[in-house]
Amino acid sequence: MLEPVENSTLASLTARFGAAVIESGQDKGDLVAVVTRDSLHEIVAFLRDTSELDFNMLIDLCGVDYLPRKPRFEVVYQVHSLERNERLRLKVTVPEEDCRVATLSDLYPVADWLERECWDMFGVVFEGHPNLKRLLMYDSFVGHPLRKDYPINRRQPLIGPKN
Amino acid sequence: MALKPMLGGENWVTSRLDKVVGWARKYSVFPYPFVTACCGMEYMSLSSSHYDLDRFGMAFPRFTPRQADLLFVVGTISHKIAPVLRRVYDQMCEPKWVIAFGVCTCTGGFYDNYATVQGIDTIIPVDVYIPGCPPRPETVIQGMMLLQEKIARQKQEY
């Protein structure tokens, strides 16, 4: 649950995008905004390119698996303004049957690898990504190991005994 | 003393060639450190001056399998790196030995998961297992001394 907070960033975000910002507030002192999936790219571009906001760094991007909740997945973005020293967390929920989000690699080059990791571990497809292939596991690996329905011990050795 | 007149007054030492070669090999081990994880820090502190591996004739790490005869596998081996480890082992010349340094290398340790090889003996043969997380330097030195005994005692190929 997010606590309400007076903040100019969240205020300008809700003023500009209205219903696309589902929920906003603070969680243990961090600014959080839950946004709709379709408006994510537009919102991040707005946060990056508006001079008063100037969120010029994508710190991290990761997936969360909330099995058995529906919608099952969540992708969490941490953006940071180096000049204003402000951080904002954006959350997008992603259903399992339509597991895709728009890529941010055209806005932040670092998103390339972060999104590849998220695809590798959770199987979230980032539409428009220039090179969406596995980053941590090897190409012959089947499945997405950080999904909660992937058995933690299911090994797929390249050499050596199969278990 | 009785040999002296027969050998023309020279000094002779008689031994078995196996023993001599074993003794020589025992004190000229060239380790290849295959370092992947936190045990690497332990290996670095171990191979610096405080513990003085030069005492054992193991001071020179060689970073190519072609110049090494001891493969020192230090740290967690994931399934992704396993083929590389196997290739390094295959490229080493005989006679060669392997030490598994730390519990992750020996058994997979607490990484009972999809990514980690459950002990490198599933990939390559291992001579000495050094347990511990991390192994204390004394443990590693004991492991090295055990390996030296093994080298000295084994059937030598030349």
Side-chain angles (χ1 to χ4, degrees):
Chain A
M1 285 303 295
L2 299 179
E3 304 156 16
V5 61
E6 287 292 318
N7 177 273
S8 59
T9 304
L10 294 179
S12 59
L13 205 59
T14 44
R16 169 81 170 71
F17 291 98
V21 181
I22 299 164
E23 194 182 4
S24 67
Q26 69 173 9
D27 180 19
K28 302 179 188 65
D30 298 339
L31 294 180
V32 183
V34 184
V35 301
T36 59
R37 192 164 42 140
D38 300 334
S39 61
L40 173 82
H41 190 280
E42 202 184 342
I43 285 176
V44 175
F46 170 76
L47 288 170
R48 190 191 69 155
D49 298 332
T50 310
S51 56
E52 302 84 66
L53 302 177
D54 198 23
F55 282 95
N56 51 7
M57 186 173 180
L58 175 65
I59 298 283
D60 201 1
L61 171 170
C62 49
V64 190
D65 185 359
Y66 282 110
L67 190 80
R69 189 193 79 174
K70 285 186 186 298
R72 179 175 165 181
F73 296 105
E74 202 168 63
V75 182
V76 183
Y77 298 85
Q78 318 272 0
V79 287
H80 176 53
S81 170
L82 287 165
E83 278 69 21
R84 299 190 307 113
N85 193 22
E86 185 173 68
R87 290 170 193 273
L88 171 65
R89 184 182 315 150
L90 292 170
K91 293 185 176 186
V92 178
T93 52
V94 182
E96 186 181 3
E97 52 279 1
D98 182 24
C99 206
R100 52 177 187 83
V101 193
T103 181
L104 296 188
S105 53
D106 52 337
L107 299 173
Y108 300 103
V110 69
D112 185 327
W113 278 21
L114 298 174
E115 286 171 356
R116 276 176 61 188
E117 183 197 15
C118 190
W119 149 251
D120 190 357
M121 293 290 133
F122 293 96
V124 178
V125 176
F126 289 89
E127 288 184 315
H129 189 285
N131 180 24
L132 196 64
K133 61 179 190 186
R134 288 190 182 278
L135 179 72
L136 298 174
M137 304 311 288
Y138 29 96
D139 285 337
S140 59
F141 193 90
V142 179
H144 302 284
L146 286 193
R147 286 189 169 195
K148 290 226 165 85
D149 53 6
Y150 186 94
I152 188 83
N153 294 335
R154 187 193 290 162
R155 301 183 185 93
Q156 302 176 27
L158 291 167
I159 58 168
K162 305 270 188 287
N163 60 335
Chain B
M1 292 302 127
L3 287 175
K4 211 169 177 183
M6 280 191 279
L7 300 174
E10 300 291 331
N11 291 321
W12 284 73
V13 176
T14 54
S15 176
R16 285 170 50 211
L17 190 55
D18 250 14
K19 293 273 186 203
V20 177
V21 172
W23 174 83
R25 277 185 178 156
K26 165 181 173 181
Y27 290 117
S28 60
V29 176
F30 285 83
Y32 176 105
F34 192 92
V35 176
T36 59
C38 22
C39 270
M41 307 328 174
E42 294 295 318
Y43 177 78
M44 291 169 208
S45 61
L46 174 82
S47 41
S48 51
S49 53
H50 190 94
Y51 291 98
D52 186 20
L53 290 191
D54 218 352
R55 290 179 291 166
F56 305 98
M58 291 194 187
F60 261 132
R62 309 315 272 158
F63 294 101
T64 164
R66 307 194 189 289
Q67 297 174 5
D69 52 11
L70 166 62
L71 181 57
F72 228 114
V73 187
V74 182
T76 320
I77 300 296
S78 65
H79 284 295
K80 201 173 176 178
I81 202 78
V84 180
L85 175 65
R86 177 72 210 226
R87 178 179 301 172
V88 167
Y89 176 80
D90 287 343
Q91 286 178 348
M92 287 166 67
C93 295
E94 294 278 356
K96 54 190 173 186
W97 304 278
V98 178
I99 283 185
F101 180 118
V103 72
C104 295
T105 320
C106 296
T107 65
F110 51 71
Y111 295 113
D112 183 9
N113 61 18
Y114 60 90
T116 308
V117 176
Q118 302 297 293
I120 58 164
D121 54 334
T122 57
I123 307 169
I124 55 177
V126 179
D127 292 289
V128 176
Y129 295 92
I130 301 173
C133 177
R136 283 199 59 85
E138 296 86 345
T139 323
V140 183
I141 287 170
Q142 191 192 1
M144 289 175 165
M145 287 158 76
L146 286 171
L147 183 77
Q148 285 183 322
E149 280 176 35
K150 180 171 180 169
I151 293 171
R153 278 207 310 268
Q154 74 179 40
K155 174 92 185 75
Q156 303 297 339
E157 300 156 14
Y158 25 77

